[in-house]
Amino acid sequence: MPADVAPVTRSASLLLAERFREVNGDHPMTEADDAYVTAQFVPLDTLCADHGEDPDEVRRLMLTGLLPLPGYLRSDGAEMVPRDLFALAGAAGGVDRLQAWFTGHWEAPAQGAAEWAAYLSGRYVCLHAVTPENILRKERLTAEITASLAAAGADPSPEWRAALHARVDALDALEPAFTAYDRLRFGGPVSRDTCVDAPRALFPPAAAPSRTPR
């Protein structure tokens, strides 16, 4: 290569796409997937323009483990991120303080580190708002629902059904609908399938007692 010709470097966007596929695998996005993602998320470039951020600097923060990876790569290559991508860093007092603030929500350091790694992966697309509080609440609800289903008898009581559906409804409020792409990258059913849709199908709410007219 001539001395006056600079080597070609890969763009931050290309590096980010490569990293995304390392984490999620290389699965096709259908038109339905694209429509779902466009309704739920926003392109990184658009969000950065709205907040006065440099997109390539944000990509650098993602690649160095200071901000989470995009939730999806749309078929046109757009890096799709949550609209509140910068909210947690703001709550923590800055990107450099985010990790300590985030992991401090867990008593066990190992659990906090594991949740931080999961957060950075961008795969927390299972929550409308990805916050430590919501992560903890989802974990508690899915564990309680799973335990309830495992202990269900042949004909659960109306009180048991009411308690189950209270938890299911609470989880439903936390989670979006998911899309087919999610079931490919996660390798099977998602928590909405197992802890929202399945309990509702298996154990419909008990019918309200009829009232005798007077």
Side-chain angles (χ1 to χ4, degrees):
M1 178 182 294
D4 59 345
V5 177
V8 175
T9 58
R10 291 180 295 170
S11 70
S13 185
L14 178 59
L15 290 171
L16 191 60
E18 290 178 354
R19 178 63 181 144
F20 178 90
R21 292 189 175 95
E22 287 174 4
V23 171
N24 294 284
D26 193 3
H27 305 292
M29 290 279 284
T30 66
E31 289 185 12
D33 293 330
D34 283 342
Y36 170 84
V37 170
T38 299
Q40 297 281 341
F41 292 78
V42 63
L44 176 61
D45 286 340
T46 301
L47 187 69
C48 288
D50 291 344
H51 287 263
E53 300 286 349
D54 177 359
D56 277 344
E57 173 61 15
V58 172
R59 292 181 180 104
R60 184 190 69 79
L61 294 173
M62 291 175 169
L63 289 166
T64 54
L66 292 174
L67 282 177
L69 297 176
Y72 300 87
L73 285 184
R74 207 167 54 187
S75 291
D76 61 2
E79 303 134 334
M80 305 300 289
V81 298
R83 291 175 174 82
D84 61 354
L85 174 66
F86 304 123
L88 288 193
V95 171
D96 293 337
R97 298 180 180 180
L98 178 55
Q99 180 175 1
W101 176 86
F102 184 99
T103 57
H105 287 78
W106 282 265
E107 292 183 8
Q111 182 64 25
E115 293 295 346
W116 174 249
Y119 171 68
L120 288 182
S121 74
R123 288 158 64 95
Y124 259 123
V125 296
C126 53
L127 293 168
H128 287 297
V130 182
T131 66
E133 294 82 3
N134 283 348
I135 292 170
L136 285 163
R137 190 170 183 221
K138 181 200 168 184
E139 182 180 80
R140 176 178 59 80
L141 288 168
T142 55
E144 290 174 351
I145 292 167
T146 300
S148 293
L149 294 175
D155 186 19
S157 68
E159 292 77 14
W160 182 94
R161 290 174 185 262
L164 173 69
H165 284 279
R167 295 184 178 106
V168 168
D169 291 347
L171 182 60
D172 187 14
L174 288 176
E175 292 195 336
F178 292 94
T179 189
Y181 172 84
D182 293 317
R183 293 165 178 87
L184 290 176
R185 66 166 159 182
F186 294 132
V190 295
S191 56
R192 171 164 288 278
D193 300 329
T194 58
C195 291
V196 176
D197 296 340
R200 286 175 172 169
L202 290 169
F203 301 103
S210 59
R211 300 180 64 181
T212 302
R214 297 181 180 180

